[in-house]
Amino acid sequence: MPPEPASEPATAPDGAHASAPAVDLALAVDRLRGRLRQESGPAPSPWSRSQLAALRRVVSGPPCTTSGLAAAAYMRPQSMAQIVAALEEGALVTRHQDPADGRRILISATDSGREAVRSAPASREAWLARAVAEGLDDLDRDALPEVVRILERLADWAVPGTARRAPAAPR
C-alpha cells in the first residue's frame, strides 16, 4: 500500500520545515528507485549496477576523468576510482593521457565495454517501459518529458551562493 502523503511539514536537517511536496517527491523517488532495483533482479553479469552505470556514462560520452565521472554520478572520487579500476581490470575501459593536458588522465570505453553496455540486461528498463505504456494514461505519458527535465534540474541545483556538488555531465 502506498504511503500516505505527508500532512505535516517535515523538519529539515537545519531545523527548517521542508514543504510537503518536497517530502512527497523524496518518498516517491525512493519508492521508484526501490521498485526499479527490485525489477532488475540479481545482476546476471559479473559487473555491479554501479559499475554498469559508470560504464554507460563512459560509453555515451566523450573521454572523461575519474573526478568528472564521479561528479556526474554524485559520488566521491575515491569510490569512482575503485569502480574505474575494476572496469579497467576487466578491459572495459582504458586510461590515457589527455593530449591537451598531459597531467589529466582520461577514461575511454573499449570495444568490450561498448558491447557490455549493449548486452547488459534491460529488465529494469523493460519494466519501466511497460509501466509507462500500461500504467499511465495519455496525459501522464505526455507529461513525462517535462517531469524528467524537472528532475534533472533538481538533481543539478545548488543553494545560491554555494558551489554545486557536481556538474551535469562528466568532463
Side-chain angles (χ1 to χ4, degrees), residues 40-99:
S40 65
S45 83
W47 309 109
S48 71
R49 289 184 187 102
S50 297
Q51 290 167 335
L52 287 172
L55 182 58
R56 280 187 192 101
R57 283 190 182 275
V58 172
V59 166
S60 66
C64 57
T65 63
T66 301
S67 61
L69 193 57
Y74 293 94
M75 296 179 91
R76 291 186 354 240
Q78 298 87 340
S79 299
M80 184 58 72
Q82 291 176 337
I83 289 171
V84 170
L87 296 174
E88 185 177 33
E89 188 175 312
L92 302 180
V93 299
T94 60
R95 298 182 209 217
H96 52 91
Q97 280 190 321
D98 182 341

Side-chain angles (χ1 to χ4, degrees), residues 106-124:
L106 298 177
I107 303 160
S108 298
T110 63
D111 290 340
S112 296
R114 284 185 280 282
E115 181 55 34
V117 166
R118 276 192 295 275
S119 64
S123 56
R124 173 170 62 176

Side-chain angles (χ1 to χ4, degrees), residues 57 69-76 80 152-157 164-168:
R57 283 190 182 275
L69 193 57
Y74 293 94
M75 296 179 91
R76 291 186 354 240
M80 184 58 72
E152 291 287 347
R153 282 182 48 209
L154 285 172
D156 290 337
W157 186 80
R164 192 168 82 187
R165 182 169 170 224

